[in-house]
Amino acid sequence: NAGVTQTPKFRVLKTGQSMTLLCAQDMNHEYMYWYRQDPGMGLRLIHYSVGEGTTAKGEVPDGYNVSRLKKQNFLLGLESAAPSQTSVYFCASSYFPRNGYTFGSGTRLTVV
Amino acid sequence: GESVGLHLPTLSVQEGDNSIINCAYSNSASDYFIWYKQESGKGPQFIIDIRSNMDKRQGQRVTVLLNKTVKHLSLQIAATQPGDSAVYFCAETGGGSEKLVFGKGTKLTVNP
């Protein structure tokens, strides 16, 4: 099994450009999450989903949108990228939070 | 809001020594705790978990201790090896929460 797959792994954007990060999981997990991780800091939750067709805001949702049209995919969109969104983005999935999360390997995004 | 935190941001140990990484939590409703290991350039990986009905759980070279009275969690690594060098995060959930709350992380460096 692939687990949690994130694409792309690296991306450089110009300020104002848009892009979509894709997270795919093959474990039939209900819960999916998007985090950002900045140098010297922990994981900050951007948005999450508790099932197909649902989304909810985390602690740092501004500037991001998400969609969960299919159970296995969770998309994170940046409509107008800003330098402050330069970060490493991690996707995670879980059958239920008390089962822990499985994380992807991350997407390193630089906005110039 | 309630959060999970770590006492020490960095820890440096000699190869072969035992390591102890500490974590404090403030949510009295928390009933499930996890430790994750994040190596450089990778996503966090599950190490060990513990539920609130236990005060100790052992894995291979790792032990997690839970003290609910003082809301404290620790990760002990026996005979620390260079491959243990990483950032370690504690996380907690409980009270029907839909997500884990992560601490900021402790960077463990193992010196040969």
Side-chain angles (χ1 to χ4, degrees):
Chain A
N1 286 341
V4 178
T5 302
Q6 291 184 234
T7 53
K9 296 189 183 304
F10 303 93
R11 185 73 185 269
V12 178
L13 283 180
K14 293 183 179 179
T15 297
Q17 286 185 318
S18 64
M19 78 162 295
T20 300
L21 282 67
L22 171 63
C23 177
Q25 53 94 3
D26 61 0
M27 297 170 284
N28 201 34
H29 284 171
E30 291 292 336
Y31 294 73
M32 296 188 75
Y33 307 84
W34 275 108
Y35 287 88
R36 62 177 288 173
Q37 186 175 39
D38 300 307
M41 298 186 69
L43 296 161
R44 292 189 290 171
L45 181 63
I46 305 171
H47 286 281
Y48 66 101
S49 168
V50 301
E52 181 178 320
T54 75
T55 62
K57 294 180 179 180
E59 59 181 302
V60 289
D62 293 344
Y64 305 94
N65 57 74
V66 288
S67 64
R68 183 102 181 266
L69 299 179
K70 293 183 179 180
K71 186 176 184 178
Q72 64 268 33
N73 295 337
F74 195 30
L75 279 64
L76 177 70
L78 287 74
E79 291 187 347
S80 181
S84 61
Q85 294 178 304
T86 293
S87 188
V88 180
Y89 292 85
F90 287 102
C91 176
S93 72
S94 176
Y95 180 72
F96 189 70
R98 281 185 178 76
N99 293 99
Y101 295 173
T102 300
F103 282 88
S105 58
T107 295
R108 185 174 296 275
L109 176 66
T110 302
V111 182
V112 297
Chain B
E2 296 182 312
S3 63
V4 178
L6 291 173
H7 293 307
L8 297 173
T10 61
L11 178 64
S12 183
V13 301
Q14 292 297 122
E15 183 178 357
D17 287 352
N18 296 332
S19 303
I20 299 176
I21 301 171
N22 296 303
C23 181
Y25 67 95
S26 57
N27 186 352
S28 57
S30 296
D31 59 8
Y32 178 64
F33 306 86
I34 309 176
W35 282 99
Y36 284 90
K37 173 185 180 183
Q38 185 178 25
E39 296 176 275
S40 181
K42 297 183 179 180
Q45 291 184 302
F46 173 92
I47 302 174
I48 192 168
D49 62 358
I50 189 168
R51 301 187 188 278
S52 59
N53 61 350
M54 304 173 68
D55 53 18
K56 180 179 180 179
R57 190 170 188 210
Q58 289 183 297
Q60 188 173 14
R61 285 199 306 116
V62 295
T63 300
V64 56
L65 299 177
L66 176 62
N67 185 329
K68 295 180 287 294
T69 302
V70 295
K71 298 187 181 67
H72 185 268
L73 187 70
S74 68
L75 176 70
Q76 300 179 359
I77 304 173
T80 313
Q81 304 169 358
D84 295 326
S85 293
V87 176
Y88 291 82
F89 293 96
C90 62
E92 56 88 17
T93 190
S97 176
E98 297 170 328
K99 50 191 181 293
L100 295 173
V101 174
F102 287 86
K104 292 191 184 301
T106 291
K107 182 177 181 179
L108 175 65
T109 301
V110 182
N111 302 308

